[in-house]
Amino acid sequence: MEYIRALLKKYPNRIKYGILILDIFAMIIAIRTYVNYVSIETAIEDATLQQQQKTDELAFTQNFLVNYEKSDYAKYFLEHENNMLLWDEYIIKFEEMYQKQQANTWTTATALNYDDTEIKTPQQSRQKFILDKINK
């Protein structure tokens, strides 16, 4: 005990720095150990989740998908999922036919000649936009 006291009195700064270096080294080891522990825990959780997902997928395949594909309507449903039509089905496309009316009472009543004038208000801009769309 006297020997340790003598060393502490003789070299106090060296002993402080030595203990500080050992403390930093121990902290680095502790941090690395904790990071490894956390990464192992997350890897275990991820593996458990993947296992559960694979189990659910397998159960779905065995309990539903196999029975679905063995059913009488499987071909019908698969063709419709792939956008294939059966022999008695047709695509009906509805379109509206627009005819341009040359003598529209609304356009002739509200038509203003904006080609030569500047647009100064939002109302004029809106009216010009509507008239351009109608006239085209």
Side-chain angles (χ1 to χ4, degrees):
M1 190 70 159
E2 293 296 324
Y3 179 71
I4 295 174
R5 279 189 192 166
L7 284 176
L8 286 174
K9 287 183 181 178
K10 190 173 183 181
Y11 306 109
N13 288 336
R14 289 184 186 173
I15 293 174
K16 284 183 202 175
Y17 292 133
I19 291 175
L20 179 68
I21 291 171
L22 289 175
D23 189 34
I24 290 172
F25 184 69
M27 282 191 327
I28 290 172
I29 291 173
I31 290 169
R32 288 182 63 194
T33 304
Y34 178 73
V35 168
N36 286 339
Y37 170 76
V38 169
S39 66
I40 290 170
E41 287 292 321
T42 55
I44 290 172
E45 289 176 9
D46 290 342
T48 306
L49 287 174
Q50 286 178 355
Q51 179 186 8
Q52 183 64 35
Q53 288 174 349
K54 291 295 181 182
T55 304
D56 292 344
E57 184 178 333
L58 183 63
F60 171 77
T61 302
Q62 289 175 347
N63 295 331
F64 177 74
L65 195 59
V66 172
N67 295 332
Y68 170 76
E69 290 177 351
K70 288 181 181 177
S71 71
D72 297 334
Y73 294 104
K75 182 180 177 189
Y76 175 77
F77 290 131
L78 288 175
E79 285 178 349
H80 280 87
E81 286 177 5
N82 294 327
N83 295 326
M84 294 170 52
L85 297 176
L86 296 177
W87 64 273
D88 59 344
E89 294 179 333
Y90 301 100
I91 295 176
I92 299 174
K93 188 174 181 181
F94 294 99
E95 292 182 359
E96 287 188 43
M97 301 300 292
Y98 292 106
Q99 295 180 354
K100 293 184 180 181
Q101 295 179 353
Q102 298 298 330
N104 190 346
T105 57
W106 185 80
T107 56
T108 56
T110 59
L112 298 173
N113 190 5
Y114 286 109
D115 297 334
D116 299 333
T117 61
E118 285 186 33
I119 298 173
K120 295 182 182 177
T121 63
Q123 291 82 11
Q124 290 175 344
S125 173
R126 185 173 56 246
Q127 287 175 356
K128 180 173 180 356
F129 174 77
I130 292 171
L131 290 175
D132 289 343
K133 290 294 180 181
I134 290 173
N135 291 333
K136 287 184 181 180

